[in-house]
Amino acid sequence: AQTVTQSQPEMSVQEAETVTLSCTYDTSESDYYLFWYKQPPSRQMILVIRQEAYKQQNATENRFSVNFQKAAKSFSLKISDSQLGDAAMYFCAYRRKLTGNQFYFGTGTSLTVIP
Amino acid sequence: DVKVTQSSRYLVKRTGEKVFLECVQDMDHENMFWYRQDPGLGLRLIYFSYDVKMKEKGDIPEGYSVSREKKERFSLILESASTNQTSMYLCASTGTIGFAGQPQHFGDGTRLSIL
């Protein structure tokens, strides 16, 4: 089974500041997808950002961007200008491109935003 | 917008009972998934289905079974509920077009307590 590791169980950030959440993964595949999901308290999990391993350019979605280091098998999420609504559990996930039915999730990072 | 609906947000059952968790999606997705979410363990895949009547075991299938008689509906069954199955259960679906790059769409979750 693939392994996705989020080594920071909890993080905090001041409102308007920038925070980076870490994710590493283990794979022997060369092409795959990586995802960051957000789960606000008592609310539905939603997709934040997605990266295809084949593409070298880092994905960006508004205040959210990733630092994808394929050789290091690292996929960190940077949240700029943090807002109170960013407080949530964040999960990193991996999916193989071929025969890619299964997603593999990390254990999550709980982000607190301090006003 | 994709909608994934889980039949109950909260459920309380007794040990030994047979428990059914229902999930319905409205986007004609081929793939549906059941996860269990526990603090510090992230999301663990119980079962997934890639077509009607098709299913595959995930990482923790013991004590669970699933049913997919119609494309839009995926049921999780606890054959004889035990206290260690107290958890948050998440249903998700994803399409096949564009295949592995498709993100998962999640339901709101069912918080199941076994007494």
Side-chain angles (χ1 to χ4, degrees):
Chain A
Q2 311 297 329
T3 303
V4 177
T5 302
Q6 293 179 249
S7 59
Q8 307 152 315
E10 297 177 347
M11 293 279 286
S12 62
V13 62
Q14 290 285 144
E15 197 175 1
E17 298 294 310
T18 295
V19 65
T20 299
L21 308 185
S22 301
C23 174
T24 59
Y25 56 94
D26 181 31
T27 185
S28 58
E29 304 284 333
S30 60
D31 204 5
Y32 45 86
Y33 285 90
L34 297 163
F35 305 82
W36 277 100
Y37 285 91
K38 171 185 177 182
Q39 186 182 39
S42 300
R43 291 179 60 189
Q44 197 176 59
M45 188 164 331
I46 58 173
L47 177 71
V48 175
I49 200 164
R50 168 179 48 191
Q51 174 82 40
E52 183 177 359
Y54 190 75
K55 295 181 180 178
Q56 295 188 349
Q57 188 171 4
N58 288 326
T60 299
E61 289 285 343
N62 301 314
R63 297 181 295 107
F64 297 87
S65 61
V66 299
N67 183 6
F68 174 48
Q69 302 286 330
K70 191 173 184 179
K73 297 179 184 175
S74 171
F75 182 60
S76 60
L77 175 70
K78 186 172 84 170
I79 306 174
S80 304
D81 185 26
S82 296
Q83 300 175 359
L84 295 178
D86 295 334
M89 184 72 83
Y90 287 83
F91 291 95
C92 177
Y94 165 99
R95 194 186 197 193
R96 286 198 299 265
K97 191 169 188 180
L98 299 177
T99 62
N101 274 319
Q102 190 165 348
F103 287 72
Y104 297 90
F105 285 85
T107 52
T109 297
S110 178
L111 179 66
T112 299
V113 180
I114 303 166
Chain B
D1 254 7
V2 176
K3 191 157 181 66
V4 179
T5 303
Q6 294 184 230
S7 52
S8 306
R9 288 298 300 272
Y10 302 94
L11 204 55
V12 179
K13 296 292 183 181
R14 297 205 173 274
T15 54
E17 281 192 67
K18 192 169 186 176
V19 181
F20 293 85
L21 303 184
E22 307 286 345
C23 176
V24 177
Q25 50 92 5
D26 65 356
M27 280 300 292
D28 202 35
H29 281 168
E30 290 79 8
N31 304 296
M32 297 187 74
F33 305 78
W34 275 108
Y35 294 93
R36 173 174 169 161
Q37 182 179 6
D38 299 289
L41 297 178
L43 274 69
R44 294 181 291 168
L45 182 65
I46 304 171
Y47 269 96
F48 67 95
S49 168
Y50 51 90
D51 203 349
V52 175
K53 297 190 185 297
M54 306 303 287
K55 62 186 179 185
E56 285 198 25
K57 293 180 180 179
D59 300 318
I60 53 165
E62 297 78 17
Y64 303 94
S65 62
V66 290
S67 172
R68 192 154 179 216
E69 297 296 318
K70 293 184 178 181
K71 192 174 186 180
E72 67 270 18
R73 186 180 297 271
F74 192 35
S75 303
L76 179 69
I77 304 153
L78 285 66
E79 297 291 343
S80 178
S82 64
T83 54
N84 63 11
Q85 292 178 309
T86 291
S87 186
M88 170 71 88
Y89 290 86
L90 294 177
C91 176
S93 74
T94 185
T96 301
I97 296 174
F99 203 38
Q102 291 266 318
Q104 288 190 315
H105 299 270
F106 286 85
D108 288 337
T110 295
R111 189 164 292 281
L112 176 64
S113 296
I114 307 296
L115 305 179

